[in-house]
Short mmCIF file of all heavy atoms in Angstrom, two decimals:
data_model
loop_
_atom_site.label_atom_id
_atom_site.label_comp_id
_atom_site.label_asym_id
_atom_site.label_seq_id
_atom_site.Cartn_x
_atom_site.Cartn_y
_atom_site.Cartn_z
N MET A 813 101.56 121.53 99.89
CA MET A 813 102.29 120.51 99.14
C MET A 813 102.91 121.16 97.91
O MET A 813 102.26 121.86 97.16
CB MET A 813 101.29 119.42 98.72
CG MET A 813 101.80 118.44 97.72
SD MET A 813 100.71 117.03 97.43
CE MET A 813 99.11 117.80 97.12
N LYS A 814 104.21 120.93 97.76
CA LYS A 814 104.90 121.48 96.60
C LYS A 814 105.62 120.35 95.87
O LYS A 814 106.31 119.55 96.50
CB LYS A 814 105.90 122.56 97.03
CG LYS A 814 106.59 123.19 95.87
CD LYS A 814 107.34 124.44 96.29
CE LYS A 814 108.02 125.00 95.06
NZ LYS A 814 108.10 126.39 95.01
N ILE A 815 105.47 120.30 94.58
CA ILE A 815 106.04 119.21 93.79
C ILE A 815 107.13 119.75 92.87
O ILE A 815 106.97 120.81 92.27
CB ILE A 815 104.96 118.54 92.92
CG1 ILE A 815 103.80 118.08 93.78
CG2 ILE A 815 105.54 117.38 92.13
CD1 ILE A 815 102.67 117.53 92.98
N THR A 816 108.20 118.98 92.77
CA THR A 816 109.20 119.25 91.75
C THR A 816 109.48 117.95 91.00
O THR A 816 109.34 116.86 91.57
CB THR A 816 110.51 119.80 92.35
OG1 THR A 816 110.95 118.91 93.38
CG2 THR A 816 110.32 121.18 92.93
N VAL A 817 109.84 118.07 89.75
CA VAL A 817 110.20 116.90 88.97
C VAL A 817 111.56 117.13 88.33
O VAL A 817 111.92 118.25 88.00
CB VAL A 817 109.16 116.58 87.86
CG1 VAL A 817 107.84 116.15 88.46
CG2 VAL A 817 108.97 117.75 86.91
N ASP A 818 112.30 116.05 88.21
CA ASP A 818 113.63 116.11 87.61
C ASP A 818 113.55 115.43 86.25
O ASP A 818 113.57 114.20 86.15
CB ASP A 818 114.62 115.40 88.54
CG ASP A 818 116.05 115.51 88.03
OD1 ASP A 818 116.25 115.88 86.85
OD2 ASP A 818 116.97 115.22 88.81
N ARG A 819 113.48 116.25 85.22
CA ARG A 819 113.33 115.68 83.86
C ARG A 819 114.61 114.96 83.41
O ARG A 819 114.56 114.16 82.48
CB ARG A 819 112.92 116.77 82.86
CG ARG A 819 111.45 117.17 83.01
CD ARG A 819 111.09 118.37 82.14
NE ARG A 819 111.41 118.21 80.75
CZ ARG A 819 110.62 117.61 79.85
NH1 ARG A 819 109.46 117.11 80.21
NH2 ARG A 819 110.98 117.52 78.59
N ASP A 820 115.74 115.25 84.07
CA ASP A 820 116.97 114.52 83.73
C ASP A 820 116.91 113.08 84.22
O ASP A 820 117.57 112.21 83.67
CB ASP A 820 118.19 115.23 84.33
CG ASP A 820 118.48 116.55 83.64
OD1 ASP A 820 118.10 116.70 82.46
OD2 ASP A 820 119.07 117.43 84.28
N ARG A 821 116.14 112.85 85.27
CA ARG A 821 116.00 111.48 85.80
C ARG A 821 114.85 110.74 85.14
O ARG A 821 114.84 109.52 85.07
CB ARG A 821 115.74 111.52 87.30
CG ARG A 821 116.90 112.02 88.11
CD ARG A 821 116.57 111.94 89.60
NE ARG A 821 116.47 110.58 90.03
CZ ARG A 821 117.36 109.98 90.82
NH1 ARG A 821 118.38 110.65 91.27
NH2 ARG A 821 117.21 108.73 91.17
N CYS A 822 113.82 111.46 84.72
CA CYS A 822 112.61 110.85 84.17
C CYS A 822 112.94 109.95 82.99
O CYS A 822 113.72 110.31 82.11
CB CYS A 822 111.65 111.97 83.73
SG CYS A 822 110.16 111.37 82.92
N VAL A 823 112.33 108.77 82.98
CA VAL A 823 112.54 107.84 81.87
C VAL A 823 111.28 107.70 81.01
O VAL A 823 111.19 106.83 80.16
CB VAL A 823 113.00 106.45 82.37
CG1 VAL A 823 114.36 106.57 83.04
CG2 VAL A 823 111.99 105.84 83.34
N GLY A 824 110.28 108.54 81.29
CA GLY A 824 109.09 108.54 80.46
C GLY A 824 108.19 107.34 80.64
O GLY A 824 107.46 106.94 79.73
N ALA A 825 108.25 106.75 81.84
CA ALA A 825 107.44 105.55 82.08
C ALA A 825 105.95 105.86 82.14
O ALA A 825 105.13 104.97 81.92
CB ALA A 825 107.88 104.87 83.38
N GLY A 826 105.61 107.09 82.47
CA GLY A 826 104.20 107.51 82.43
C GLY A 826 103.36 107.09 83.61
O GLY A 826 102.15 107.31 83.61
N MET A 827 103.97 106.51 84.63
CA MET A 827 103.19 106.10 85.79
C MET A 827 102.53 107.30 86.45
O MET A 827 101.40 107.22 86.95
CB MET A 827 104.07 105.37 86.81
CG MET A 827 104.68 104.09 86.30
SD MET A 827 103.46 102.93 85.65
CE MET A 827 102.56 102.56 87.13
N CYS A 828 103.23 108.41 86.48
CA CYS A 828 102.69 109.60 87.14
C CYS A 828 101.44 110.09 86.42
O CYS A 828 100.42 110.38 87.05
CB CYS A 828 103.75 110.69 87.19
SG CYS A 828 104.46 111.11 85.60
N ALA A 829 101.49 110.18 85.11
CA ALA A 829 100.35 110.68 84.35
C ALA A 829 99.16 109.72 84.44
O ALA A 829 98.00 110.15 84.46
CB ALA A 829 100.75 110.88 82.88
N MET A 830 99.46 108.42 84.54
CA MET A 830 98.36 107.45 84.67
C MET A 830 97.74 107.50 86.06
O MET A 830 96.55 107.26 86.22
CB MET A 830 98.87 106.03 84.39
CG MET A 830 98.88 105.68 82.93
SD MET A 830 99.25 103.95 82.67
CE MET A 830 101.02 104.00 82.69
N THR A 831 98.55 107.83 87.04
CA THR A 831 98.09 107.82 88.43
C THR A 831 97.45 109.14 88.84
O THR A 831 96.45 109.15 89.56
CB THR A 831 99.28 107.51 89.37
OG1 THR A 831 99.90 106.32 88.92
CG2 THR A 831 98.82 107.35 90.81
N ALA A 832 98.04 110.24 88.42
CA ALA A 832 97.55 111.57 88.81
C ALA A 832 97.58 112.47 87.58
O ALA A 832 98.40 113.38 87.46
CB ALA A 832 98.41 112.14 89.94
N GLY A 833 96.67 112.20 86.67
CA GLY A 833 96.65 112.90 85.39
C GLY A 833 96.32 114.37 85.47
O GLY A 833 96.55 115.12 84.52
N GLU A 834 95.78 114.79 86.62
CA GLU A 834 95.49 116.21 86.79
C GLU A 834 96.75 117.00 87.12
O GLU A 834 96.79 118.21 86.97
CB GLU A 834 94.47 116.43 87.91
CG GLU A 834 93.13 115.78 87.68
CD GLU A 834 93.13 114.30 88.06
OE1 GLU A 834 94.17 113.80 88.54
OE2 GLU A 834 92.11 113.64 87.85
N VAL A 835 97.77 116.28 87.61
CA VAL A 835 98.98 116.94 88.10
C VAL A 835 100.16 116.74 87.15
O VAL A 835 100.99 117.63 86.98
CB VAL A 835 99.33 116.43 89.51
CG1 VAL A 835 100.60 117.11 90.04
CG2 VAL A 835 98.16 116.65 90.47
N PHE A 836 100.21 115.54 86.53
CA PHE A 836 101.34 115.20 85.66
C PHE A 836 100.83 114.82 84.28
O PHE A 836 99.77 114.20 84.14
CB PHE A 836 102.11 113.99 86.20
CG PHE A 836 102.56 114.10 87.62
CD1 PHE A 836 101.81 113.54 88.65
CD2 PHE A 836 103.74 114.76 87.94
CE1 PHE A 836 102.23 113.63 89.97
CE2 PHE A 836 104.18 114.85 89.26
CZ PHE A 836 103.41 114.29 90.27
N GLU A 837 101.60 115.16 83.28
CA GLU A 837 101.36 114.60 81.95
C GLU A 837 102.70 114.33 81.31
O GLU A 837 103.75 114.72 81.84
CB GLU A 837 100.47 115.50 81.08
CG GLU A 837 101.12 116.76 80.61
CD GLU A 837 100.22 117.53 79.64
OE1 GLU A 837 99.06 117.12 79.43
OE2 GLU A 837 100.69 118.54 79.11
N GLN A 838 102.66 113.67 80.16
CA GLN A 838 103.89 113.38 79.45
C GLN A 838 103.97 114.28 78.23
O GLN A 838 102.98 114.47 77.52
CB GLN A 838 103.92 111.92 79.00
CG GLN A 838 104.15 110.96 80.14
CD GLN A 838 104.15 109.53 79.64
OE1 GLN A 838 103.09 108.90 79.58
NE2 GLN A 838 105.31 109.00 79.31
N HIS A 839 105.16 114.81 78.01
CA HIS A 839 105.35 115.69 76.86
C HIS A 839 105.11 114.91 75.57
O HIS A 839 105.56 113.77 75.43
CB HIS A 839 106.77 116.25 76.88
CG HIS A 839 106.95 117.41 75.95
ND1 HIS A 839 107.12 117.26 74.61
CD2 HIS A 839 106.95 118.73 76.18
CE1 HIS A 839 107.24 118.45 74.04
NE2 HIS A 839 107.14 119.37 74.98
N GLU A 840 104.40 115.53 74.65
CA GLU A 840 104.02 114.78 73.45
C GLU A 840 105.21 114.44 72.56
O GLU A 840 105.15 113.49 71.79
CB GLU A 840 102.97 115.55 72.64
CG GLU A 840 103.42 116.88 72.11
CD GLU A 840 102.30 117.61 71.38
OE1 GLU A 840 101.17 117.67 71.90
OE2 GLU A 840 102.57 118.13 70.29
N ASP A 841 106.29 115.19 72.69
CA ASP A 841 107.46 114.91 71.85
C ASP A 841 108.39 113.86 72.45
O ASP A 841 108.73 112.88 71.81
CB ASP A 841 108.25 116.19 71.59
CG ASP A 841 107.49 117.15 70.69
OD1 ASP A 841 106.64 116.68 69.91
OD2 ASP A 841 107.74 118.36 70.78
N ASP A 842 108.82 114.11 73.69
CA ASP A 842 109.84 113.22 74.28
C ASP A 842 109.29 112.25 75.31
O ASP A 842 110.01 111.39 75.80
CB ASP A 842 111.01 114.03 74.85
CG ASP A 842 110.58 115.02 75.93
OD1 ASP A 842 109.48 114.88 76.47
OD2 ASP A 842 111.38 115.93 76.24
N GLY A 843 108.01 112.39 75.69
CA GLY A 843 107.42 111.47 76.66
C GLY A 843 107.81 111.73 78.09
O GLY A 843 107.40 111.00 78.99
N LEU A 844 108.62 112.75 78.30
CA LEU A 844 109.07 113.03 79.67
C LEU A 844 107.99 113.81 80.43
O LEU A 844 107.11 114.43 79.85
CB LEU A 844 110.38 113.82 79.65
CG LEU A 844 111.56 113.11 78.99
CD1 LEU A 844 112.82 113.98 79.09
CD2 LEU A 844 111.81 111.74 79.61
N VAL A 845 108.12 113.74 81.74
CA VAL A 845 107.09 114.30 82.60
C VAL A 845 106.95 115.83 82.40
O VAL A 845 107.94 116.54 82.22
CB VAL A 845 107.39 113.95 84.07
CG1 VAL A 845 108.70 114.56 84.54
CG2 VAL A 845 106.24 114.35 84.97
N VAL A 846 105.72 116.29 82.45
CA VAL A 846 105.40 117.71 82.47
C VAL A 846 104.54 117.94 83.70
O VAL A 846 103.55 117.24 83.90
CB VAL A 846 104.63 118.16 81.20
CG1 VAL A 846 104.23 119.62 81.32
CG2 VAL A 846 105.47 117.92 79.96
N LEU A 847 104.94 118.89 84.50
CA LEU A 847 104.20 119.19 85.72
C LEU A 847 103.10 120.20 85.42
O LEU A 847 103.36 121.31 84.95
CB LEU A 847 105.18 119.75 86.76
CG LEU A 847 104.76 119.79 88.21
CD1 LEU A 847 104.27 118.44 88.71
CD2 LEU A 847 105.93 120.28 89.05
N LEU A 848 101.86 119.81 85.64
CA LEU A 848 100.73 120.69 85.35
C LEU A 848 100.42 121.63 86.52
O LEU A 848 99.88 122.71 86.32
CB LEU A 848 99.49 119.86 85.03
CG LEU A 848 99.60 118.93 83.83
CD1 LEU A 848 98.35 118.08 83.69
CD2 LEU A 848 99.86 119.71 82.56
N MET A 849 100.74 121.18 87.73
CA MET A 849 100.53 122.01 88.93
C MET A 849 101.73 121.82 89.83
O MET A 849 102.09 120.69 90.14
CB MET A 849 99.31 121.54 89.73
CG MET A 849 98.00 121.53 89.04
SD MET A 849 96.74 121.01 90.26
CE MET A 849 95.68 120.03 89.21
N THR A 850 102.33 122.91 90.25
CA THR A 850 103.45 122.77 91.19
C THR A 850 102.97 122.71 92.63
O THR A 850 103.64 122.14 93.49
CB THR A 850 104.44 123.95 91.06
OG1 THR A 850 103.73 125.17 91.24
CG2 THR A 850 105.12 123.93 89.70
N GLU A 851 101.81 123.31 92.89
CA GLU A 851 101.28 123.29 94.26
C GLU A 851 99.81 122.88 94.23
O GLU A 851 98.92 123.70 94.45
CB GLU A 851 101.46 124.66 94.91
CG GLU A 851 102.92 125.05 95.04
CD GLU A 851 103.12 126.35 95.80
OE1 GLU A 851 102.30 126.66 96.68
OE2 GLU A 851 104.09 127.06 95.50
N PRO A 852 99.57 121.60 93.95
CA PRO A 852 98.17 121.15 93.87
C PRO A 852 97.49 121.17 95.23
O PRO A 852 98.15 121.09 96.26
CB PRO A 852 98.30 119.72 93.34
CG PRO A 852 99.65 119.28 93.71
CD PRO A 852 100.51 120.51 93.70
N SER A 853 96.17 121.27 95.20
CA SER A 853 95.43 121.28 96.46
C SER A 853 95.47 119.89 97.09
O SER A 853 95.81 118.89 96.43
CB SER A 853 93.99 121.72 96.21
OG SER A 853 93.32 120.74 95.46
N GLU A 854 95.11 119.84 98.35
CA GLU A 854 95.20 118.60 99.12
C GLU A 854 94.32 117.50 98.53
O GLU A 854 94.50 116.33 98.84
CB GLU A 854 94.82 118.87 100.58
CG GLU A 854 95.87 119.66 101.34
CD GLU A 854 97.24 118.99 101.35
OE1 GLU A 854 97.30 117.78 101.60
OE2 GLU A 854 98.24 119.68 101.08
N GLN A 855 93.36 117.87 97.72
CA GLN A 855 92.48 116.85 97.15
C GLN A 855 93.25 115.86 96.27
O GLN A 855 92.80 114.74 96.06
CB GLN A 855 91.33 117.49 96.37
CG GLN A 855 91.61 117.79 94.92
CD GLN A 855 90.46 118.50 94.24
OE1 GLN A 855 90.40 119.72 94.20
NE2 GLN A 855 89.53 117.73 93.71
N TRP A 856 94.44 116.27 95.80
CA TRP A 856 95.23 115.38 94.95
C TRP A 856 96.35 114.70 95.73
O TRP A 856 97.19 114.02 95.14
CB TRP A 856 95.84 116.16 93.76
CG TRP A 856 94.84 116.89 92.96
CD1 TRP A 856 94.78 118.25 92.75
CD2 TRP A 856 93.72 116.35 92.25
NE1 TRP A 856 93.71 118.57 91.97
CE2 TRP A 856 93.02 117.42 91.65
CE3 TRP A 856 93.22 115.05 92.08
CZ2 TRP A 856 91.88 117.24 90.89
CZ3 TRP A 856 92.06 114.87 91.32
CH2 TRP A 856 91.42 115.96 90.74
N ALA A 857 96.40 114.88 97.03
CA ALA A 857 97.54 114.39 97.82
C ALA A 857 97.75 112.88 97.69
O ALA A 857 98.88 112.43 97.54
CB ALA A 857 97.36 114.78 99.28
N ASP A 858 96.67 112.12 97.75
CA ASP A 858 96.82 110.66 97.69
C ASP A 858 97.37 110.22 96.33
O ASP A 858 98.27 109.37 96.25
CB ASP A 858 95.49 109.96 97.94
CG ASP A 858 95.05 110.06 99.40
OD1 ASP A 858 95.89 110.46 100.23
OD2 ASP A 858 93.89 109.76 99.68
N GLU A 859 96.83 110.81 95.26
CA GLU A 859 97.29 110.45 93.92
C GLU A 859 98.75 110.84 93.71
O GLU A 859 99.53 110.10 93.12
CB GLU A 859 96.41 111.11 92.84
CG GLU A 859 95.04 110.50 92.69
CD GLU A 859 94.03 111.08 93.66
OE1 GLU A 859 94.42 111.80 94.60
OE2 GLU A 859 92.83 110.79 93.48
N VAL A 860 99.10 112.03 94.20
CA VAL A 860 100.48 112.50 94.05
C VAL A 860 101.44 111.59 94.82
O VAL A 860 102.51 111.22 94.31
CB VAL A 860 100.60 113.96 94.54
CG1 VAL A 860 102.06 114.37 94.68
CG2 VAL A 860 99.89 114.89 93.56
N GLU A 861 101.05 111.20 96.02
CA GLU A 861 101.90 110.32 96.81
C GLU A 861 102.08 108.97 96.11
O GLU A 861 103.18 108.42 96.06
CB GLU A 861 101.28 110.11 98.20
CG GLU A 861 102.17 109.31 99.12
CD GLU A 861 101.56 109.10 100.50
OE1 GLU A 861 100.51 109.72 100.79
OE2 GLU A 861 102.11 108.30 101.26
N GLU A 862 101.01 108.46 95.55
CA GLU A 862 101.10 107.18 94.85
C GLU A 862 102.00 107.32 93.62
O GLU A 862 102.83 106.45 93.35
CB GLU A 862 99.70 106.71 94.43
CG GLU A 862 99.73 105.29 93.90
CD GLU A 862 98.34 104.78 93.54
OE1 GLU A 862 97.36 105.51 93.75
OE2 GLU A 862 98.26 103.66 93.03
N ALA A 863 101.84 108.42 92.89
CA ALA A 863 102.67 108.64 91.70
C ALA A 863 104.14 108.70 92.08
O ALA A 863 105.01 108.15 91.39
CB ALA A 863 102.25 109.92 91.00
N GLN A 864 104.43 109.37 93.19
CA GLN A 864 105.82 109.47 93.66
C GLN A 864 106.38 108.08 93.94
O GLN A 864 107.51 107.78 93.56
CB GLN A 864 105.86 110.34 94.91
CG GLN A 864 107.28 110.52 95.44
CD GLN A 864 107.30 111.26 96.76
OE1 GLN A 864 106.33 111.28 97.50
NE2 GLN A 864 108.40 111.92 97.03
N HIS A 865 105.59 107.24 94.58
CA HIS A 865 106.08 105.90 94.92
C HIS A 865 106.21 105.01 93.68
O HIS A 865 107.09 104.14 93.63
CB HIS A 865 105.15 105.24 95.94
CG HIS A 865 105.28 105.84 97.30
ND1 HIS A 865 106.46 105.84 98.00
CD2 HIS A 865 104.38 106.47 98.09
CE1 HIS A 865 106.28 106.44 99.17
NE2 HIS A 865 105.03 106.85 99.25
N LEU A 866 105.34 105.22 92.70
CA LEU A 866 105.36 104.37 91.52
C LEU A 866 106.44 104.76 90.51
O LEU A 866 106.83 103.95 89.68
CB LEU A 866 103.99 104.40 90.83
CG LEU A 866 102.86 103.69 91.56
CD1 LEU A 866 101.53 103.93 90.83
CD2 LEU A 866 103.12 102.20 91.68
N CYS A 867 106.88 106.00 90.59
CA CYS A 867 107.86 106.48 89.61
C CYS A 867 109.13 105.63 89.70
O CYS A 867 109.78 105.58 90.74
CB CYS A 867 108.20 107.94 89.87
SG CYS A 867 109.52 108.54 88.79
N PRO A 868 109.50 104.96 88.62
CA PRO A 868 110.64 104.05 88.68
C PRO A 868 111.99 104.75 88.77
O PRO A 868 112.98 104.13 89.14
CB PRO A 868 110.53 103.26 87.37
CG PRO A 868 109.81 104.17 86.44
CD PRO A 868 108.85 104.96 87.30
N SER A 869 112.04 106.04 88.44
CA SER A 869 113.34 106.72 88.44
C SER A 869 113.46 107.73 89.57
O SER A 869 114.42 108.50 89.59
CB SER A 869 113.54 107.41 87.09
OG SER A 869 112.52 108.35 86.88
N ARG A 870 112.48 107.73 90.47
CA ARG A 870 112.52 108.67 91.63
C ARG A 870 112.69 110.12 91.15
O ARG A 870 113.48 110.87 91.71
CB ARG A 870 113.66 108.29 92.57
CG ARG A 870 113.49 106.92 93.19
CD ARG A 870 112.54 106.97 94.37
NE ARG A 870 112.23 105.65 94.87
CZ ARG A 870 111.06 105.02 94.61
NH1 ARG A 870 110.15 105.58 93.87
NH2 ARG A 870 110.81 103.84 95.12
N ALA A 871 111.94 110.45 90.11
CA ALA A 871 112.08 111.80 89.54
C ALA A 871 111.13 112.81 90.18
O ALA A 871 111.21 114.00 89.87
CB ALA A 871 111.81 111.73 88.03
N ILE A 872 110.24 112.32 91.04
CA ILE A 872 109.23 113.20 91.63
C ILE A 872 109.57 113.45 93.10
O ILE A 872 109.79 112.51 93.85
CB ILE A 872 107.83 112.56 91.53
CG1 ILE A 872 107.47 112.33 90.07
CG2 ILE A 872 106.79 113.43 92.24
CD1 ILE A 872 106.22 111.47 89.88
N THR A 873 109.62 114.71 93.46
CA THR A 873 109.85 115.09 94.86
C THR A 873 108.64 115.85 95.36
O THR A 873 108.14 116.76 94.69
CB THR A 873 111.11 115.97 94.98
OG1 THR A 873 112.22 115.28 94.44
CG2 THR A 873 111.38 116.33 96.44
N VAL A 874 108.16 115.46 96.54
CA VAL A 874 107.00 116.13 97.13
C VAL A 874 107.40 116.67 98.49
O VAL A 874 107.92 115.94 99.33
CB VAL A 874 105.82 115.15 97.30
CG1 VAL A 874 104.63 115.87 97.91
CG2 VAL A 874 105.45 114.51 95.97
N ASP A 875 107.17 117.95 98.67
CA ASP A 875 107.38 118.57 99.98
C ASP A 875 106.00 118.83 100.57
O ASP A 875 105.33 119.81 100.20
CB ASP A 875 108.17 119.86 99.83
CG ASP A 875 108.44 120.52 101.17
OD1 ASP A 875 107.88 120.06 102.19
OD2 ASP A 875 109.20 121.49 101.19
N PRO A 876 105.53 117.97 101.48
CA PRO A 876 104.16 118.11 101.95
C PRO A 876 103.93 119.35 102.80
O PRO A 876 102.80 119.81 102.93
CB PRO A 876 103.94 116.83 102.79
CG PRO A 876 105.29 116.33 103.11
CD PRO A 876 106.23 116.84 102.07
N ALA A 877 105.00 119.90 103.37
CA ALA A 877 104.83 121.03 104.28
C ALA A 877 104.85 122.37 103.57
O ALA A 877 104.43 123.38 104.12
CB ALA A 877 105.94 121.00 105.33
N ALA A 878 105.33 122.38 102.33
CA ALA A 878 105.47 123.66 101.61
C ALA A 878 104.11 124.24 101.27
O ALA A 878 103.20 123.53 100.87
CB ALA A 878 106.28 123.45 100.34
N ARG A 879 103.98 125.53 101.45
CA ARG A 879 102.72 126.22 101.13
C ARG A 879 102.98 127.29 100.10
O ARG A 879 104.01 127.87 100.07
CB ARG A 879 102.14 126.86 102.38
CG ARG A 879 101.94 125.85 103.47
CD ARG A 879 100.48 125.72 103.82
NE ARG A 879 100.29 124.63 104.76
CZ ARG A 879 99.46 123.61 104.58
NH1 ARG A 879 98.74 123.54 103.50
NH2 ARG A 879 99.32 122.68 105.47
S1 SF4 B 1187 106.58 108.15 86.46
FE1 SF4 B 1187 108.61 109.06 86.77
S2 SF4 B 1187 109.80 108.33 85.04
FE2 SF4 B 1187 107.65 108.00 84.53
S3 SF4 B 1187 107.04 109.81 83.37
FE3 SF4 B 1187 106.54 110.16 85.51
S4 SF4 B 1187 108.33 111.23 86.35
FE4 SF4 B 1187 108.95 110.27 84.45
#
């Protein structure tokens, strides 16, 4: 699983950090998403998928096949 985030699309809603705080956080200055892990282990797959669906600006892309 490989994750990318588009900070130009991010609106700082924070759903990702609330849903998968091990993988995403919000920058303390601008509130925009910060990716803590680009290739998290499968143990975070459910949380990452939920965060992707909850993100209101579709700023999170997950490639489940990437290794
Ligand atoms: S949920 Fe989406 S819009 Fe909100 S902080 Fe995360 S990436 Fe940005």
Side-chain angles (χ1 to χ4, degrees):
M813 169 171 50
K814 182 168 179 145
I815 305 175
T816 53
V817 293
D818 184 345
R819 285 173 55 84
D820 290 334
R821 293 183 68 109
C822 176
V823 295
M827 297 305 295
C828 54
M830 275 188 275
T831 306
E834 299 82 3
V835 180
F836 307 97
E837 71 174 6
Q838 287 179 272
H839 194 281
E840 62 183 46
D841 291 334
D842 59 17
L844 299 182
V845 63
V846 176
L847 196 52
L848 300 175
M849 301 183 217
T850 56
E851 297 185 30
S853 68
E854 289 302 314
Q855 88 183 92
W856 305 119
D858 289 347
E859 286 86 348
V860 167
E861 185 180 352
E862 189 178 357
Q864 181 186 24
H865 287 300
L866 289 174
C867 175
S869 60
R870 297 279 173 257
I872 299 169
T873 303
V874 180
D875 181 352
R879 303 243 173 235

